[in-house]
Amino acid sequence: PLASQPASSPALDRTVNLLTQFQRFARDFWGVFGLALSVMTFLQLLLPTMPAGVLLAWWVGQLRRLLGWGSLWVVVALGFLGLWLLQRKDLTGAGRIPWLRILLLEVGAFASMALLAVFGGTDLLAAEMGQDGGIVGWGLAELMRVLMAPFGLGGSLWRALLLILIGGLSLFLGLGLAQRLVNLAVQVPQ
């Protein structure tokens, strides 16, 4: 005897069709949202006296307080994420996401915020007002001072040099510049 298949309900079929149609546009929606948020955040950071809505003003205020000038990294990240979502054809291949490069770029961004805090004198009051590297940058710079002080390297110069090295190397590798340099070196005839 043939196994009976459960009858499909029309309501379930309509729901599945509706969700399938929205799934196609979800990537586009989030891409446009990321780009729009990036542009609005950038404009509000650049022109703080410009009128803004309550939510945008709160968002930018929190970014500025926490990250200081590092807020611009969030603007760049949101912009790239929005573009990536709009251009990407297939998001199912999780192996294609360059996680190591993303991690290196994050290390470079955090190192730059700590460096800004060191250049600003590692001042907590300035960090709370959203200057330099914000509270996050101040915390990282202060952590470095505490960790490096037992070795006699807690001064601003040593912290700045180490942060320049860490941030520069992370950004150099994260942006793929090292691979491009290797490719150029291999192509040069000897």
Side-chain angles (χ1 to χ4, degrees):
L2 294 172
S4 64
Q5 294 181 349
S8 172
S9 74
L12 180 62
D13 288 342
R14 281 194 305 258
T15 304
V16 168
N17 287 338
L18 184 67
L19 290 175
T20 303
Q21 289 175 353
F22 281 125
Q23 183 180 4
R24 289 185 291 163
F25 301 110
R27 188 180 71 236
D28 293 338
F29 170 79
W30 288 112
V32 170
F33 180 78
L35 283 174
L37 186 59
S38 174
V39 169
M40 290 186 302
T41 303
F42 178 70
L43 288 174
Q44 191 64 35
L45 284 168
L46 193 64
L47 306 166
T49 58
M50 183 175 74
V54 174
L55 190 58
L56 181 62
W58 175 83
W59 162 252
V60 170
Q62 294 303 312
L63 279 180
R64 188 178 303 245
R65 182 174 167 267
L66 290 173
L67 306 177
W69 285 103
S71 302
L72 294 174
W73 286 114
V74 173
V75 169
V76 171
L78 283 171
F80 275 117
L81 180 64
L83 286 174
W84 180 74
L85 285 171
L86 288 173
Q87 292 176 350
R88 194 83 173 150
K89 299 281 187 223
D90 177 27
L91 293 178
T92 59
R96 297 182 191 150
I97 297 174
W99 291 112
L100 180 60
R101 288 181 70 180
I102 292 170
L103 179 66
L104 288 168
L105 291 172
E106 288 176 1
V107 168
F110 282 112
S112 71
M113 287 186 282
L115 184 63
L116 287 169
V118 169
F119 285 158
T122 320
D123 182 15
L124 180 58
L125 292 176
E128 287 180 341
M129 293 189 320
Q131 298 174 359
D132 307 327
I135 293 175
V136 172
W138 173 85
L140 292 171
E142 192 63 22
L143 177 65
M144 284 190 70
R145 185 190 64 75
V146 168
L147 293 175
M148 294 173 71
F151 304 104
L153 303 173
S156 295
L157 176 65
W158 291 109
R159 288 184 291 157
L161 288 174
L162 183 60
L163 286 167
I164 289 171
L165 177 69
I166 291 170
L169 187 61
S170 297
L171 291 175
F172 184 72
L173 294 171
L175 291 172
L177 299 177
Q179 186 61 41
R180 290 182 189 147
L181 194 60
V182 167
N183 291 343
L184 284 174
V186 170
Q187 291 177 354
V188 174
Q190 296 183 5

